Coordinates of all heavy atoms in Angstrom, one line a residue:
M1 N 0.9 -1.3 0.0 CA -0.1 0.0 0.0 C 0.8 1.2 0.0 O 1.9 1.3 0.7 CB -0.8 0.0 1.2 CG -1.7 1.2 1.4 SD -2.9 1.1 2.7 CE -4.4 1.6 1.9
D2 N 0.4 2.2 -0.7 CA 1.3 3.5 -0.9 C 1.1 4.1 0.5 O 0.1 4.4 1.1 CB 0.6 4.3 -1.9 CG 1.2 5.7 -2.1 OD1 2.4 5.9 -1.4 OD2 0.9 6.5 -2.9
T3 N 2.3 4.5 1.0 CA 2.3 5.2 2.3 C 1.9 6.7 2.3 O 1.6 7.2 3.3 CB 3.8 5.2 2.9 OG1 4.6 5.8 2.1 CG2 4.3 3.8 3.2
N4 N 1.7 7.2 1.2 CA 1.2 8.6 0.9 C -0.2 8.5 0.7 O -1.0 9.6 0.6 CB 1.9 9.3 -0.2 CG 3.3 9.5 0.0 OD1 3.7 9.8 1.3 ND2 4.1 9.4 -0.9
A5 N -0.9 7.4 0.7 CA -2.4 7.2 0.3 C -3.2 7.9 1.6 O -2.8 7.8 2.7 CB -2.8 5.8 0.1
V6 N -4.2 8.4 1.4 CA -5.2 9.0 2.3 C -6.4 8.1 2.4 O -7.1 7.8 1.5 CB -5.6 10.4 2.0 CG1 -6.6 11.0 3.0 CG2 -4.3 11.3 1.9
D7 N -6.8 7.7 3.7 CA -8.0 6.9 3.8 C -9.1 8.0 3.7 O -9.4 8.6 4.9 CB -8.0 6.2 5.1 CG -9.2 5.3 5.3 OD1 -10.1 5.4 4.6 OD2 -9.2 4.5 6.2
L8 N -9.9 8.1 2.8 CA -11.0 9.2 2.6 C -12.0 8.9 3.8 O -12.7 9.9 4.2 CB -11.7 9.1 1.2 CG -10.7 9.7 0.2 CD1 -11.5 9.6 -1.2 CD2 -10.3 11.1 0.6
R9 N -12.3 7.6 4.1 CA -13.4 7.3 5.3 C -13.0 8.2 6.5 O -13.7 8.8 7.2 CB -13.5 6.0 5.4 CG -14.2 5.3 4.2 CD -14.2 3.8 4.4 NE -12.8 3.4 4.5 CZ -12.4 2.1 4.7 NH1 -13.2 1.2 4.9 NH2 -11.0 1.8 4.6
T10 N -11.6 8.0 6.9 CA -11.1 8.7 8.1 C -11.2 10.2 8.0 O -11.6 10.9 8.8 CB -9.7 8.2 8.4 OG1 -9.8 6.8 8.5 CG2 -9.2 8.8 9.7
T11 N -10.7 10.7 6.8 CA -10.6 12.1 6.5 C -11.9 12.7 6.6 O -12.2 13.7 7.1 CB -10.0 12.4 5.2 OG1 -8.7 11.7 5.1 CG2 -9.8 13.9 5.0
L12 N -12.9 12.2 5.8 CA -14.3 12.7 5.8 C -15.0 12.7 7.0 O -15.7 13.6 7.5 CB -15.1 12.0 4.6 CG -14.6 12.2 3.3 CD1 -15.4 11.3 2.4 CD2 -14.7 13.7 2.8
A13 N -14.8 11.5 7.8 CA -15.3 11.4 9.2 C -14.9 12.5 10.1 O -15.7 13.2 10.9 CB -15.2 10.1 9.8
A14 N -13.6 12.8 10.0 CA -13.0 13.8 11.0 C -13.5 15.2 10.5 O -13.7 16.1 11.3 CB -11.4 13.7 10.9
Q15 N -13.6 15.4 9.2 CA -14.0 16.7 8.8 C -15.4 16.9 9.3 O -15.6 18.2 9.7 CB -14.0 16.7 7.2 CG -14.3 18.1 6.6 CD -14.3 18.1 5.1 OE1 -14.3 17.1 4.5 NE2 -14.4 19.2 4.6
A16 N -16.3 16.1 9.1 CA -17.7 16.3 9.4 C -17.9 16.6 11.0 O -18.5 17.5 11.4 CB -18.5 15.2 9.3
A17 N -17.0 16.0 11.8 CA -17.1 16.1 13.2 C -16.6 17.6 13.6 O -17.0 18.3 14.5 CB -16.2 15.1 14.0
N18 N -15.5 18.1 12.8 CA -15.0 19.3 13.1 C -15.6 20.4 12.4 O -15.4 21.6 12.8 CB -13.5 19.3 12.6 CG -12.5 18.4 13.3 OD1 -12.8 18.0 14.5 ND2 -11.6 18.0 12.7
R19 N -16.6 20.2 11.6 CA -17.3 21.2 11.0 C -18.8 21.3 11.3 O -19.6 21.8 10.5 CB -17.1 21.2 9.4 CG -15.7 21.3 9.1 CD -15.2 21.3 7.7 NE -15.8 22.4 6.8 CZ -15.2 23.5 6.6 NH1 -14.2 23.8 7.2 NH2 -15.8 24.4 6.0
S20 N -19.1 20.9 12.4 CA -20.6 20.9 12.9 C -20.8 22.1 13.7 O -20.0 22.6 14.5 CB -20.7 19.6 13.9 OG -22.1 19.6 14.3
V21 N -21.9 22.8 13.3 CA -22.3 24.0 14.0 C -23.7 23.9 14.5 O -24.6 23.4 13.7 CB -22.3 25.1 12.9 CG1 -22.6 26.5 13.6 CG2 -20.8 25.3 12.3
S22 N -23.9 24.4 15.8 CA -25.2 24.2 16.3 C -25.8 25.7 16.4 O -25.0 26.5 16.9 CB -25.2 23.6 17.7 OG -25.0 22.2 17.6
V23 N -27.0 25.9 16.0 CA -27.7 27.2 16.0 C -28.9 27.3 16.7 O -29.7 26.5 16.3 CB -27.8 27.8 14.6 CG1 -28.3 29.3 14.6 CG2 -26.5 27.7 13.9
S24 N -29.1 28.0 17.7 CA -30.4 28.2 18.4 C -31.0 29.4 17.9 O -30.6 30.5 18.0 CB -30.1 28.2 19.9 OG -31.3 28.3 20.7
V25 N -32.2 29.2 17.3 CA -33.0 30.3 16.8 C -34.4 30.6 17.5 O -35.1 29.6 17.7 CB -33.1 30.0 15.2 CG1 -34.0 31.2 14.6 CG2 -32.0 29.8 14.6
P26 N -34.7 31.8 17.7 CA -36.1 32.1 18.3 C -37.1 31.6 17.3 O -36.9 31.6 16.1 CB -36.0 33.6 18.5 CG -34.7 34.0 18.5 CD -34.0 33.1 17.7
S27 N -38.2 31.1 17.9 CA -39.3 30.4 17.1 C -39.8 31.5 16.0 O -40.1 31.1 14.9 CB -40.3 29.9 17.9 OG -41.0 30.8 18.6
Q28 N -39.8 32.7 16.4 CA -40.5 33.7 15.5 C -39.5 33.9 14.3 O -40.1 34.0 13.2 CB -40.5 35.1 16.2 CG -41.6 35.0 17.3 CD -41.5 36.3 18.1 OE1 -40.6 36.9 18.3 NE2 -42.7 36.6 18.7
E29 N -38.3 33.7 14.4 CA -37.4 33.8 13.2 C -37.4 32.4 12.6 O -37.2 32.4 11.3 CB -35.9 34.3 13.7 CG -35.8 35.7 13.9 CD -36.4 36.2 15.2 OE1 -36.7 35.3 16.1 OE2 -36.7 37.3 15.4
Y30 N -37.5 31.4 13.2 CA -37.4 30.1 12.7 C -38.6 29.8 11.6 O -38.4 29.2 10.7 CB -37.4 29.1 13.8 CG -37.0 27.6 13.4 CD1 -35.7 27.2 13.3 CD2 -38.0 26.7 13.1 CE1 -35.3 25.9 12.9 CE2 -37.8 25.3 12.7 CZ -36.4 24.9 12.7 OH -36.0 23.7 12.2
F31 N -39.7 30.3 12.1 CA -40.9 30.0 11.3 C -41.3 31.2 10.2 O -42.2 31.1 9.6 CB -42.1 29.7 12.1 CG -41.9 28.4 12.9 CD1 -41.8 28.4 14.3 CD2 -42.0 27.3 12.3 CE1 -41.6 27.2 15.0 CE2 -41.8 26.1 13.0 CZ -41.6 26.0 14.4
D32 N -40.4 32.1 10.2 CA -40.5 33.2 9.1 C -39.5 33.2 8.1 O -38.3 33.3 8.5 CB -40.6 34.7 10.0 CG -40.8 35.8 9.0 OD1 -40.0 35.8 7.9 OD2 -41.6 36.5 9.4
L33 N -39.8 32.8 7.0 CA -38.8 32.6 5.9 C -37.8 33.6 5.7 O -36.6 33.4 5.6 CB -39.4 32.0 4.6 CG -38.5 31.7 3.4 CD1 -37.6 30.6 3.8 CD2 -39.2 31.5 2.1
D34 N -38.3 34.8 5.5 CA -37.6 36.1 5.4 C -36.4 36.3 6.5 O -35.3 36.5 6.2 CB -38.4 37.4 5.2 CG -39.3 37.4 3.9 OD1 -38.6 36.7 2.9 OD2 -40.3 37.9 3.8
Q35 N -37.0 36.1 7.7 CA -36.1 36.3 8.9 C -35.1 35.1 9.0 O -33.9 35.5 9.3 CB -37.0 36.5 10.2 CG -37.7 37.8 10.3 CD -38.4 38.0 11.6 OE1 -37.9 37.5 12.6 NE2 -39.4 38.7 11.6
F36 N -35.5 33.9 8.7 CA -34.7 32.8 8.7 C -33.5 33.0 7.7 O -32.4 32.7 8.1 CB -35.4 31.5 8.6 CG -34.5 30.2 8.7 CD1 -34.2 29.9 10.0 CD2 -34.0 29.7 7.7 CE1 -33.4 28.8 10.2 CE2 -33.2 28.5 7.7 CZ -32.9 28.1 9.1
Q37 N -33.9 33.4 6.6 CA -32.9 33.7 5.5 C -31.9 34.6 6.0 O -30.7 34.6 5.5 CB -33.5 34.0 4.2 CG -34.2 32.8 3.5 CD -34.9 33.1 2.2 OE1 -35.4 34.3 2.1 NE2 -35.0 32.1 1.4
R38 N -32.3 35.8 6.6 CA -31.3 36.7 7.1 C -30.5 36.1 8.1 O -29.3 36.4 8.2 CB -32.1 38.0 7.7 CG -32.6 38.9 6.6 CD -33.2 40.1 7.2 NE -34.5 39.8 7.6 CZ -35.4 40.5 8.3 NH1 -35.0 41.8 8.7 NH2 -36.6 40.2 8.6
V39 N -31.0 35.3 9.1 CA -30.2 34.5 10.1 C -29.2 33.7 9.3 O -27.9 33.7 9.7 CB -31.0 33.7 11.0 CG1 -30.2 32.8 11.8 CG2 -31.9 34.7 11.9
Q40 N -29.6 32.9 8.4 CA -28.7 32.0 7.6 C -27.6 32.8 6.9 O -26.5 32.4 6.9 CB -29.5 31.2 6.6 CG -28.6 30.2 6.0 CD -29.5 29.3 5.1 OE1 -30.6 29.6 4.5 NE2 -29.0 28.0 5.0
K41 N -28.0 34.0 6.3 CA -27.0 34.7 5.6 C -25.9 35.3 6.6 O -24.8 35.3 6.2 CB -27.6 35.9 4.8 CG -26.7 36.7 4.0 CD -27.5 37.9 3.4 CE -26.5 38.7 2.6 NZ -27.2 39.9 1.9
A42 N -26.3 35.7 7.7 CA -25.4 36.2 8.6 C -24.5 35.1 9.2 O -23.3 35.3 9.3 CB -26.2 37.0 9.8
L43 N -25.0 34.0 9.5 CA -24.4 32.9 9.9 C -23.3 32.4 8.8 O -22.0 32.2 9.2 CB -25.2 31.7 10.2 CG -24.5 30.4 10.6 CD1 -23.8 30.5 11.9 CD2 -25.5 29.3 10.8
L44 N -23.7 32.2 7.7 CA -22.8 31.8 6.5 C -21.6 32.9 6.3 O -20.6 32.4 6.2 CB -23.5 31.6 5.2 CG -24.6 30.5 5.3 CD1 -25.3 30.4 3.8 CD2 -23.9 29.2 5.7
G45 N -22.0 34.2 6.5 CA -21.0 35.2 6.5 C -20.0 34.9 7.7 O -18.6 35.0 7.4
Q46 N -20.4 34.6 8.9 CA -19.5 34.3 9.9 C -18.5 33.1 9.7 O -17.5 33.1 10.1 CB -20.3 34.2 11.2 CG -21.0 35.4 11.8 CD -19.9 36.4 12.3 OE1 -19.1 35.9 13.0 NE2 -20.1 37.6 12.1
L47 N -19.1 32.1 9.0 CA -18.5 30.8 8.7 C -17.5 31.0 7.6 O -16.7 30.1 7.2 CB -19.5 29.7 8.5 CG -20.3 29.4 9.6 CD1 -21.3 28.2 9.2 CD2 -19.4 28.8 10.7
G48 N -17.6 32.1 6.8 CA -16.6 32.4 5.8 C -17.1 32.5 4.3 O -16.4 32.9 3.5
C49 N -18.4 32.1 4.1 CA -18.8 32.1 2.8 C -20.4 32.4 2.8 O -21.1 31.6 3.1 CB -18.6 30.8 2.0 SG -19.2 30.9 0.3
P50 N -20.7 33.7 2.4 CA -22.1 34.1 2.6 C -23.0 33.4 1.5 O -24.3 33.5 1.7 CB -22.1 35.5 2.4 CG -20.7 35.9 2.1 CD -19.8 34.7 2.2
A51 N -22.5 32.7 0.7 CA -23.3 32.1 -0.4 C -23.5 30.7 -0.3 O -24.4 30.1 -1.1 CB -22.6 32.5 -1.8
C52 N -22.7 29.9 0.6 CA -22.9 28.6 0.7 C -22.5 28.1 2.2 O -22.0 28.8 2.9 CB -22.0 27.9 -0.4 SG -20.3 28.1 0.0
T53 N -22.8 26.8 2.4 CA -22.4 26.2 3.7 C -21.0 25.8 3.9 O -20.6 25.5 4.8 CB -23.4 25.1 4.0 OG1 -23.1 24.1 3.0 CG2 -24.8 25.4 4.0
S54 N -20.2 25.9 2.8 CA -18.8 25.6 2.7 C -18.5 24.2 3.6 O -17.5 24.2 4.2 CB -18.0 26.7 3.4 OG -18.2 28.0 2.8
G55 N -19.4 23.2 3.4 CA -19.1 21.9 3.9 C -19.4 21.8 5.5 O -19.0 20.9 6.1
F56 N -20.0 22.9 6.0 CA -20.4 22.8 7.5 C -21.7 22.0 7.6 O -22.5 22.1 6.8 CB -20.6 24.2 8.1 CG -19.3 25.0 8.3 CD1 -18.8 25.9 7.3 CD2 -18.7 24.8 9.5 CE1 -17.6 26.4 7.5 CE2 -17.5 25.5 9.7 CZ -16.9 26.3 8.8
D57 N -21.7 21.3 8.8 CA -22.9 20.5 9.1 C -23.7 21.5 10.1 O -23.4 21.6 11.3 CB -22.5 19.3 9.8 CG -23.7 18.4 10.3 OD1 -24.9 18.8 10.0 OD2 -23.5 17.5 11.0
I58 N -24.6 22.3 9.6 CA -25.3 23.3 10.4 C -26.6 22.6 10.9 O -27.6 22.1 10.2 CB -25.7 24.5 9.6 CG1 -24.4 25.1 9.0 CG2 -26.4 25.5 10.4 CD1 -24.6 26.2 8.0
R59 N -26.8 22.7 12.2 CA -28.0 22.1 12.8 C -28.7 23.2 13.6 O -28.3 23.7 14.5 CB -27.6 21.0 13.8 CG -26.8 19.9 13.1 CD -26.2 18.9 14.1 NE -25.4 17.9 13.2 CZ -25.2 16.7 13.6 NH1 -25.6 16.2 14.8 NH2 -24.4 15.9 12.9
Y60 N -29.9 23.6 13.1 CA -30.8 24.5 13.7 C -31.7 23.9 14.7 O -32.1 22.8 14.5 CB -31.6 25.2 12.6 CG -30.7 26.0 11.6 CD1 -30.3 25.4 10.4 CD2 -30.4 27.4 11.9 CE1 -29.6 26.3 9.5 CE2 -29.6 28.0 11.0 CZ -29.3 27.5 9.8 OH -28.6 28.3 9.0
G61 N -31.8 24.5 15.8 CA -32.9 24.2 16.8 C -33.5 25.4 17.2 O -33.2 26.6 17.2
I62 N -34.8 25.2 17.7 CA -35.7 26.3 18.2 C -35.4 26.6 19.6 O -35.3 25.6 20.4 CB -37.1 25.8 17.9 CG1 -37.4 25.6 16.5 CG2 -38.1 27.0 18.5 CD1 -38.8 25.0 16.4
Q63 N -35.2 27.9 20.0 CA -35.0 28.1 21.4 C -36.1 27.9 22.2 O -37.3 28.2 21.7 CB -34.7 29.7 21.4 CG -33.3 30.2 21.0 CD -33.2 31.6 21.3 OE1 -34.2 32.4 21.6 NE2 -32.0 32.1 20.8
R64 N -35.9 27.3 23.3 CA -37.0 26.9 24.2 C -36.6 27.6 25.5 O -35.7 27.3 26.2 CB -37.1 25.4 24.4 CG -37.6 24.8 23.1 CD -37.4 23.3 23.1 NE -38.1 22.6 21.9 CZ -37.5 22.5 20.9 NH1 -36.2 22.9 20.7 NH2 -38.1 21.9 19.9
R65 N -37.5 28.6 25.9 CA -37.2 29.4 27.2 C -38.5 29.4 28.0 O -39.6 29.5 27.5 CB -36.8 30.8 26.8 CG -35.5 31.0 26.1 CD -35.3 32.3 26.1 NE -34.0 32.6 25.2 CZ -33.5 33.7 25.0 NH1 -34.1 34.8 25.4 NH2 -32.4 33.7 24.3
F66 N -38.3 29.1 29.3 CA -39.4 29.2 30.2 C -39.0 30.2 31.3 O -37.9 30.3 31.8 CB -39.6 27.8 30.8 CG -40.0 26.7 29.7 CD1 -39.0 26.1 29.0 CD2 -41.3 26.5 29.4 CE1 -39.2 25.1 28.0 CE2 -41.7 25.6 28.4 CZ -40.6 25.0 27.7
I67 N -40.1 30.8 31.8 CA -39.9 31.6 32.9 C -40.7 31.1 34.1 O -41.9 30.8 33.9 CB -40.4 33.1 32.7 CG1 -39.4 33.6 31.6 CG2 -40.3 34.0 33.9 CD1 -39.7 35.1 31.2
V68 N -40.2 31.0 35.3 CA -40.9 30.6 36.5 C -41.1 31.8 37.3 O -40.1 32.4 37.8 CB -40.1 29.4 37.3 CG1 -41.0 28.9 38.5 CG2 -39.9 28.4 36.3
D69 N -42.4 32.1 37.8 CA -42.7 33.3 38.6 C -42.6 32.9 40.1 O -42.4 31.8 40.4 CB -44.0 33.9 38.2 CG -45.2 32.9 38.4 OD1 -45.2 32.0 39.3 OD2 -46.2 33.1 37.7
A70 N -42.9 33.8 41.0 CA -42.8 33.6 42.3 C -43.8 32.6 42.9 O -43.6 31.9 43.9 CB -42.9 35.0 43.1
N71 N -44.8 32.4 42.1 CA -45.9 31.3 42.5 C -45.7 30.0 41.9 O -46.5 29.3 41.9 CB -47.2 32.0 42.3 CG -47.6 33.1 42.9 OD1 -47.3 33.3 44.1 ND2 -48.4 34.2 42.3
L72 N -44.4 29.9 41.3 CA -44.1 28.7 40.6 C -44.9 28.4 39.3 O -44.9 27.3 38.9 CB -44.1 27.5 41.6 CG -43.2 27.6 42.8 CD1 -43.4 26.3 43.6 CD2 -41.8 27.8 42.4
G73 N -45.5 29.4 38.8 CA -46.1 29.3 37.4 C -45.2 29.3 36.4 O -44.1 30.1 36.5
V74 N -45.2 28.4 35.3 CA -44.3 28.4 34.3 C -44.9 28.9 33.0 O -45.9 28.4 32.6 CB -43.8 26.9 34.2 CG1 -42.9 26.7 33.0 CG2 -43.3 26.2 35.5
Q75 N -44.1 29.8 32.4 CA -44.6 30.3 31.1 C -43.6 30.2 30.1 O -42.4 30.3 30.4 CB -45.1 31.8 31.3 CG -46.1 32.1 32.2 CD -46.3 33.7 32.2 OE1 -45.5 34.4 32.2 NE2 -47.6 34.0 32.3
A76 N -44.0 29.7 28.9 CA -43.0 29.6 27.8 C -42.9 31.0 27.1 O -43.9 31.7 27.0 CB -43.6 28.6 26.8
T77 N -41.7 31.4 26.8 CA -41.4 32.6 26.1 C -40.7 32.3 24.8 O -39.8 31.5 24.7 CB -40.7 33.6 27.0 OG1 -39.4 33.1 27.2 CG2 -41.4 34.0 28.3
G78 N -40.9 33.2 23.8 CA -40.1 33.0 22.6 C -40.4 31.8 21.8 O -39.7 31.2 21.0
L79 N -41.6 31.1 22.0 CA -42.1 30.0 21.3 C -43.3 30.3 20.6 O -44.1 31.2 20.9 CB -42.4 28.8 22.4 CG -41.3 28.5 23.3 CD1 -41.8 27.6 24.4 CD2 -40.2 27.7 22.6
A80 N -43.5 29.5 19.5 CA -44.6 29.7 18.6 C -45.9 29.3 19.5 O -45.8 28.5 20.4 CB -44.6 28.7 17.4
Q81 N -47.0 30.1 19.4 CA -48.2 29.9 20.1 C -48.6 28.4 20.1 O -49.2 28.0 21.1 CB -49.2 30.8 19.7 CG -48.9 32.3 19.9 CD -48.7 32.6 21.4 OE1 -49.4 32.0 22.2 NE2 -47.9 33.5 21.7
D82 N -48.6 27.8 19.0 CA -49.2 26.5 18.8 C -48.2 25.4 19.1 O -48.4 24.2 18.9 CB -49.8 26.3 17.5 CG -48.8 26.5 16.4 OD1 -47.8 27.0 16.6 OD2 -49.2 26.1 15.2
Q83 N -47.0 25.8 19.5 CA -46.1 24.7 19.7 C -46.4 23.6 20.7 O -45.8 22.5 20.7 CB -44.7 25.4 20.0 CG -43.4 24.5 19.7 CD -42.1 25.3 19.7 OE1 -42.2 26.5 19.7 NE2 -41.1 24.6 19.6
F84 N -47.0 24.0 21.7 CA -47.4 23.0 22.7 C -48.7 22.3 22.5 O -49.2 21.7 23.3 CB -47.4 23.7 24.2 CG -46.0 24.2 24.6 CD1 -45.6 25.5 24.5 CD2 -45.0 23.2 24.8 CE1 -44.4 25.9 24.9 CE2 -43.7 23.7 25.3 CZ -43.4 24.9 25.2
S85 N -49.4 22.5 21.4 CA -50.6 22.0 21.1 C -50.4 20.4 20.9 O -49.4 20.0 20.3 CB -51.3 22.5 19.9 OG -51.5 23.8 20.1
P86 N -51.3 19.6 21.5 CA -51.2 18.1 21.3 C -51.5 17.6 19.9 O -51.9 18.3 19.1 CB -52.2 17.6 22.3 CG -53.2 18.8 22.8 CD -52.5 20.0 22.3

């Protein structure tokens, strides 16, 4: 076997792990296409290429925030109104 050969399986597996990006987006922006595209454009610019993902594994998640008041009431904030519907 050639000692200069590269095992692509190892190289590609390492690249994917190193290029994973997690993004937490408020639900209002997540469910609004225009706002989501602005978020994506800004993110891609930060990653180095505003026109493409440049091989990054971008994983979007919806922000989930809860506020507990003095009476121990729990309220969801920053979530779509119907997100908790059964």
Side-chain angles (χ1 to χ4, degrees):
M1 176 177 232
D2 182 3
T3 57
N4 293 322
V6 175
D7 183 353
L8 289 179
R9 291 171 297 178
T10 304
T11 303
L12 293 175
Q15 180 182 15
N18 294 333
R19 298 183 62 88
S20 179
V21 177
S22 295
V23 182
S24 182
V25 182
S27 62
Q28 293 169 334
E29 283 75 19
Y30 191 84
F31 293 111
D32 182 306
L33 181 60
D34 292 329
Q35 289 186 25
F36 185 80
Q37 287 176 331
R38 283 188 276 173
V39 167
Q40 187 175 30
K41 182 178 178 182
L43 173 65
L44 295 179
Q46 291 287 321
L47 294 175
C49 184
C52 67
T53 61
S54 301
F56 284 95
D57 176 13
I58 302 172
R59 299 172 186 206
Y60 291 96
I62 300 171
Q63 283 182 357
R64 291 169 174 87
R65 294 184 182 182
F66 298 89
I67 296 176
V68 180
D69 63 27
N71 296 324
L72 302 181
V74 179
Q75 291 184 328
T77 63
L79 301 170
Q81 294 297 323
D82 60 348
Q83 198 164 352
F84 292 111
S85 298

